């Protein structure tokens, strides 16, 4: 089984970290193929960058020669999953939905701990679109930019733990979701320090994708995610050189 894991930003070191986390979660016989978009922002922390990332991820996957059995969109709260589902005949798993759906098996209510406060509305909207918001106790921000997560992992773990503890005590959360692909590798530390289950979206997405492939299931094509209709696209694709 081959699974493409696509970073939503252009920072290759984050792609490497995400790929390593995905490979650790993968079962025997699963090959993880990490991909970095050819264009876009170095980190995704707002609507403009998120929509740009959606296009970049779709084009990156569309250009990949394959073969592959599933695709993971490794950006938390980002746009584009629906477009990928239209384009592809294999399962598409988004880490936002993977983390939240997994958390619901582990406790009554979950909270998401993310990076900057400006990304909170994006995550809330994506959870709502996915039908996963009813059991979300809160989405909390650490105040850390995405790129700071790898610059100082210890400070990142401290900030995430602080907000996770507040989510448990103040928001009555029973499970924590790490709300950024760049937080890969920190779940164990946060779980140990908070005493509650902590779900890493990349790991959850890998196990869900593997399960869908083994079950022989993929996205329905009868209505919402039917393939795009053939038509002329003006000045597309854009030059990225």
């Amino acid at each position: 089984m081959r699974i493409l894991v696509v970073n939503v930003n252009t920072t290759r070191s984050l792609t490497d970290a995400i790929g390593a986390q995905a490979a650790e979660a993968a079962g025997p016989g699963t090959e993880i193929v990490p991909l970095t978009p050819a264009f876009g922002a170095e980190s995704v922390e707002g609507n403009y960058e998120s929509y740009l990332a959606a296009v970049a991820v779709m084009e990156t996957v569309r250009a990949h020669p394959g073969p592959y059995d599933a695709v993971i969109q490794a950006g938390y709260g980002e746009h584009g999953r629906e477009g990928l589902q239209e384009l592809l005949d294999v399962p598409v798993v988004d880490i936002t939905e993977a983390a939240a759906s997994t958390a619901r098996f582990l406790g009554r209510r979950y909270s998401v701990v993310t990076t900057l406060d400006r990304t909170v509305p994006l995550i809330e909207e994506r959870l709502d679109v996915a039908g996963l918001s009813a059991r979300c106790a809160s989405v909390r921000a650490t105040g850390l930019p995405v790129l700071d997560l790898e610059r100082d992992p210890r400070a990142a773990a401290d900030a995430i733990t602080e907000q996770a503890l507040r989510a448990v005590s103040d928001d009555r959360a029973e499970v924590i979701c790490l709300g950024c692909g760049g937080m890969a590798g920190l779940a164990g530390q946060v779980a140990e320090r908070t005493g509650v289950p902590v779900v890493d979206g990349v790991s959850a997405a890998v196990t869900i994708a593997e399960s869908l492939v083994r079950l022989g299931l993929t996205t329905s094509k009868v209505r919402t995610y039917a393939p795009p209709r053939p038509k002329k696209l003006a000045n597309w694709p854009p030059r990225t050189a």
Side-chain angles (χ1 to χ4, degrees):
M1 184 187 310
R2 297 181 81 221
I3 300 177
L4 304 186
V5 180
V6 193
N7 186 8
V8 297
N9 63 53
T10 58
T11 301
R12 293 186 182 275
S13 57
L14 286 178
T15 302
D16 293 342
I18 290 167
Q21 184 67 34
E24 184 176 330
T30 297
E31 178 187 1
I32 298 297
V33 182
L35 297 178
T36 304
F39 62 93
E42 63 179 349
S43 62
V44 180
E45 295 168 323
N47 281 286
Y48 171 74
E49 294 163 354
S50 181
Y51 281 111
L52 181 61
V55 176
V57 167
M58 286 188 284
E59 289 304 296
T60 298
V61 173
R62 195 171 63 86
H64 194 276
Y68 50 87
D69 301 291
V71 172
I72 292 172
Q73 178 176 292
Y76 214 98
E78 310 307 339
H79 302 88
R81 183 264 299 163
E82 297 90 341
L84 281 172
Q85 287 184 294
E86 288 186 5
L87 290 172
L88 303 179
D89 293 324
V90 300
V92 176
V93 182
D94 170 76
I95 67 170
T96 314
E97 298 171 20
S101 59
T102 300
R104 297 193 305 170
F105 289 106
L106 305 174
R108 182 173 178 271
R109 290 173 69 76
Y110 68 91
S111 284
V112 178
V113 178
T114 188
T115 52
L116 298 178
D117 181 68
R118 65 177 294 162
T119 67
V120 170
L122 277 73
I123 293 172
E124 291 174 338
E125 288 176 2
R126 294 307 296 174
L127 292 173
D128 192 48
V129 166
L132 294 165
S133 59
R135 286 168 61 180
C136 180
S138 61
V139 180
R140 285 180 164 268
T142 61
L144 293 174
V146 170
L147 298 182
D148 281 3
L149 296 172
E150 63 173 350
R151 290 189 185 123
D152 193 343
R154 179 176 295 182
D158 289 344
I160 295 165
T161 299
E162 178 184 357
Q163 292 303 319
L165 287 169
R166 291 185 180 181
V168 173
S169 63
D170 299 347
D171 308 329
R172 312 292 289 175
E174 299 172 6
V175 184
I176 299 297
C177 296
L178 298 183
C180 178
M183 293 177 178
L186 297 177
Q189 297 180 54
V190 179
E192 183 177 353
R193 293 164 66 177
T194 59
V196 300
V198 176
V199 182
D200 173 81
V202 174
S203 299
V206 169
T207 57
I208 290 170
E210 287 179 321
S211 296
L212 292 173
V213 173
R214 292 193 179 103
L215 289 169
L217 298 173
T218 189
T219 307
S220 173
K221 295 293 183 177
V222 298
R223 185 176 296 116
T224 307
Y225 304 122
R229 295 182 61 201
K231 62 185 68 175
K232 182 179 179 180
L233 300 177
N235 302 314
W236 190 258
R239 294 184 179 181
T240 58

